[in-house]
Each structure stands twice: as C-alpha cells, then as structure tokens.
Amino acid sequence: MGFFKKSDITKLYEIGDELGSGNFAKVKKAKRKAKTADVEKEVGGKKKVVLKAGADMAIKIIDKAKVEDMGDITREIEIMQDISHPNVINLFEIFDEPKKMNLVMELVTGGELFDRIVAKGSYSEKDAAQCLKELCSALKYLHEKKIVHRDLKPENLLYKGKAPGAPLKLIDFGLAIHVPKGELAKEVC
Ligand code: PIT
C-alpha cells in the first residue's frame, strides 16, 4: 500500500448498494472480483494476505468536483494509511480516477452506535463501559501517533456486525489532523 492505483476500480470490484452518503462522498458496498490477485500488507513485520478474491468491502467514492480542497482528501488518506487498530476502520487500497477518488475499506454491517442507543431505549452501564473501553483503546492508539480525530460522535462509531459483542469501529477521518510534537491542537471544530 502507500500509493494510489490509477486504474479503473470496476476492473477489480463489483460496486453494490449504497451504505451511506455525505456532502461530497458516497459509501457503497463492493465485492472483489473472482479473478483478482490477493493483496498483501505487512503486519507486525510479516506479510499477511488482507484482500482475497470474493471479499466484501466498503468503498468511499469521493466526487472530486464537489471537493473544495483536494489537500483535505490527501490528508485524510495519509492519516488512514498510517493506522492499523482493531477499533478503527481499516483502509486497504486507493483508486485515483480522473473524476473520483475511491477508498477501499473494511466492510462493517452492524450499524451506528447512535442507532443502537436509540433502539435500546435504555443503555446499560455494562454496554456503556464496553463501548468506552473500545473507544479509549482507539483514542490511545491515535493520540500516541499524534493523530486527533476531531469528529467523535455516536454516528462515527459503527459496529462490525449485528451480533451482540461485535467490535466498534471508528470512521470518518475527514477532519482528522496530525499534531506535530510539542504543538497543541487549538482550532475549534
Ligand atoms: C463501512 C460501512 C459504512 C460506512 C463506512 C464503512 C464508512 C467509513 C469511512 C468514512 C469516512 C472516512 C473513513 C471511513 O474518512 O456504512 O464499512 O468518511
């Protein structure tokens, strides 16, 4: 990883249903096509297969025409490329097309923490403690790397799957910044 592929994403992925949308991007489900080579990534000094043919993924499709400053997008990508943690959404590869930037990410299907809190009516201390434990683990990891997310909210925490006990994953690094050593993040977001 660490570089952008210039090829058309539809050569490698079948794009599926929309999972969500924002001002200048859509997230869609996608399947890695049958006749594609495995993608490897170095994890803890060892090469690990991280993408296999047939894998279900999520793709964030960014409409370049609607983006004011592409520098914001490259910052988001650079930050995500530097992160590997069980409670943060994983970015696998990037396809830079003339009109769109495509970010291939881990697929999560359990919905937002926000919706689970609302659906439950009451939210137990045990549930809250588990959620906080996972969030703190992600934030400790990010802050040690001097990355500040700056948009923490229940809408940006998605459950990996529908089963109880599925891990939470932090998403949306659109406002995240890297704070140089010795400096403070002061901007109000
Ligand atoms: C999924 C499923 C889903 C949404 C996402 C991923 C979104 C992830 C995301 C969005 C961002 C970002 C990083 C990750 O910067 O419903 O698997 O704007």
Side-chain angles (χ1 to χ4, degrees):
M1 225 183 47
F3 59 90
F4 299 176
K5 296 182 180 72
K6 288 280 179 192
S7 64
D8 182 347
I9 190 163
T10 57
K11 281 190 187 133
L12 289 173
Y13 291 90
E14 263 154 40
I15 313 293
D17 294 344
E18 192 172 306
L19 296 167
S21 67
N23 291 338
F24 51 81
K26 281 189 170 116
V27 179
K28 290 187 176 178
K29 212 175 152 179
K31 200 180 203 58
R32 198 162 166 85
K33 288 185 179 177
K35 286 178 192 145
T36 52
D38 289 350
V39 172
E40 293 183 329
K41 193 175 170 180
E42 225 173 86
V43 183
K46 278 190 196 149
K47 280 217 161 166
K48 238 179 101 176
V49 175
V50 290
L51 271 180
K52 277 184 187 302
D56 287 317
M57 311 300 296
I59 303 191
K60 181 174 176 180
I61 305 162
I62 299 162
D63 185 342
K64 290 184 181 178
K66 293 186 182 157
V67 176
E68 235 175 82
D69 182 359
M70 274 309 286
D72 291 342
I73 305 297
T74 44
R75 188 186 59 229
E76 173 179 346
I77 292 170
E78 272 166 18
I79 286 174
M80 287 190 78
Q81 279 182 325
D82 190 29
I83 299 169
S84 176
H85 185 278
N87 298 114
V88 181
I89 203 92
N90 210 339
L91 172 67
F92 292 106
E93 53 181 353
I94 301 132
F95 292 82
D96 185 3
E97 294 172 355
K99 293 192 172 153
K100 292 189 162 69
M101 185 71 92
N102 304 276
L103 278 54
V104 180
M105 297 180 295
E106 163 184 21
L107 176 65
V108 298
T109 56
E112 294 174 7
L113 170 63
F114 182 87
D115 294 324
R116 272 205 205 184
I117 294 172
V118 174
K120 278 197 162 191
S122 75
Y123 196 67
S124 75
E125 188 171 341
K126 191 161 181 271
D127 288 335
Q130 181 58 33
C131 161
L132 261 281
K133 188 178 165 191
E134 291 179 46
L135 178 57
C136 287
S137 172
L139 294 183
K140 178 172 187 278
Y141 173 83
L142 293 175
H143 293 179
E144 275 170 3
K145 284 183 164 288
K146 302 283 177 203
I147 293 164
V148 195
H149 183 278
R150 306 204 301 177
D151 200 13
L152 295 175
K153 52 185 178 184
E155 294 90 326
N156 282 342
L157 285 158
L158 306 184
Y159 282 100
K160 175 74 184 168
K162 300 242 189 294
L168 269 174
K169 307 268 175 173
L170 181 59
I171 64 159
D172 202 342
F173 284 75
L175 285 182
I177 52 161
H178 194 268
V179 181
K181 234 186 160 146
E183 286 184 28
L184 294 173
K186 290 183 188 151
E187 202 182 334
V188 179
C189 297

